[in-house]
């Protein structure tokens, strides 16, 4: 029978690698961390990597891919794969890797992601096709924007044209209704081995400078001529009102159902719905991540929700390793490989 000793778990050193590698160790796998030069320290210090492979830049990943294949490594993609290697190149990965092949295209293309969410009956913020249609607060998101830097808010067409002057003309953007509410990001896990959807945890992000503007009086905000940005710097753990949980499960289940119409056998593994919840408890989902999100990082030793279900501290990283382990032991590894 195949054993987990025949395989290693590998990932890129950034984003949620500490959690992924620690989780793999906890399930009994040996681990490999692929690091950029100068970034190995955390992976050594926290003792999560049995082996570190250094590369100059993440886009040099394909130069070391053969080494991973020889070691029978299973690669776990995360946000840095999408950001630095690109969703289209992820499709070219030859080494065994966890997750649905082709799904990352649907999360990184705003149009495709929106169609997915709408088909799954998630409420989404309204999109304005032309600046002239702006009749309420909107957020303008540039396609290339990384981590919410360079977004701006407008209230009217005039306001829009006044602010857009600061950006290069050819830059593509979307005009989205600005939802006044609180951000709530739900971390799900769907296993193709157990065919069950789990709610793993929730987070809210800590964004600079949006999360600090309220520290100064409105008058001072105007004096300082602040431009709001949403650069992600970290994540905070959260639990939600228990009466909302049934809806949270339903949203996740609909996403999985619709994913089966989009790609092959559909989405599996960790995914996240990023929503703003308004005062009427409506979830406005503005983004979907079809892979582990860094918002799961506060839960290296499990979340209140995983504690209800598991008798060991179960992080999302560890849940991935457990899925792979179950697939190996049940001789159905192909179910979890992209
Ligand atoms: P990094 O490797 O830290 O540059 O992150 C790669 C991508 O993941 C970037 O596009 C970030 O915006 C996103 N990201 C990194 N860390 C977090 C986090 N803690 N929460 C949400 N997104 C993140
Ligand atoms: P994104 O780059 O799409 O993840 O958005 C970055 C941040 O902007 C989010 O974490 C929210 O704080 C905020 N945001 C994005 N879209 C909306 C929206 N439609 N309404 C209100 N806030 C939003």
């Amino acid at each position: 029978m195949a054993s987990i000793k025949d395989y290693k778990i590998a990932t890129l050193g950034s984003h949620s690698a500490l959690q992924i590698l620690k989780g793999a160790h906890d399930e009994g796998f040996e681990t490999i961390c692929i690091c950029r030069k100068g970034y190995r320290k955390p992976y050594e210090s926290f003792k999560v990597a049995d082996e570190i492979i250094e590369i100059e830049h993440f886009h040099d990943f394909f130069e070391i891919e053969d080494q991973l294949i020889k070691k029978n490594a299973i690669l776990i993609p995360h946000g840095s794969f999408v950001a630095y290697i690109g969703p289209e190149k992820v499709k070219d990965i030859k080494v065994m890797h966890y997750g649905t092949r082709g799904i990352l295209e649907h999360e990184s293309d705003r149009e495709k992601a929106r169609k997915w969410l709408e088909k799954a009956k998630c409420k989404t913020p309204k999109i304005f096709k032309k600046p002239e249609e702006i009749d309420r607060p909107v957020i303008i998101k540039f396609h290339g924007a990384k981590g919410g830097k360079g977004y701006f808010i407008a209230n009217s067409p005039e306001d829009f044209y006044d602010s857009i002057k600061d950006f290069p003309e050819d830059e593509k953007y979307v005009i989205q209704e600005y939802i006044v509410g609180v951000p709530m990001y739900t971390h799900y896990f769907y296993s193709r081995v157990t065919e069950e959807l789990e709610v793993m945890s929730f987070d809210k992000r800590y964004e600079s400078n949006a999360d600090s503007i309220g520290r100064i009086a409105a008058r001072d905000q105007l004096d300082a001529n602040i431009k709001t940005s949403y650069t992600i710097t970290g994540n905070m753990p959260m639990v939600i009102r228990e009466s909302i949980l049934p809806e949270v499960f339903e949203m996740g289940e609909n996403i999985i159902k619709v994913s089966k119409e989009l790609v092959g056998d559909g989405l599996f593994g960790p995914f996240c719905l990023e929503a703003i919840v308004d005062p009427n408890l409506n979830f406005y989902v503005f983004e979907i991540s079809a892979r582990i999100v860094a918002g799961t990082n506060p839960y290296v030793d499990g979340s209140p929700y995983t504690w209800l279900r598991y008798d060991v501290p179960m992080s999302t990283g560890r849940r991935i390793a457990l899925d792979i382990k179950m697939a190996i032991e049940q001789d159905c590894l192909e179910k979890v490989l992209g």
Side-chain angles (χ1 to χ4, degrees), residues 125 141 151 176-179 185 205 207 230 286-287:
K141 299 182 175 184
Y151 290 177
Q176 201 177 75
E177 175 184 11
Y178 186 85
I179 309 293
Y185 300 166
R205 291 191 189 163
E207 294 165 334
Y230 298 88
F286 64 87
E287 209 171 291

Side-chain angles (χ1 to χ4, degrees), residues 100-116:
T100 313
R101 185 176 286 266
I103 200 77
L104 293 176
E105 239 177 282
H106 289 267
E107 69 150 59
S108 48
D109 179 316
R110 284 193 203 277
E111 272 303 305
K112 286 185 177 169
R114 193 176 173 82
K115 286 207 181 104
W116 184 2

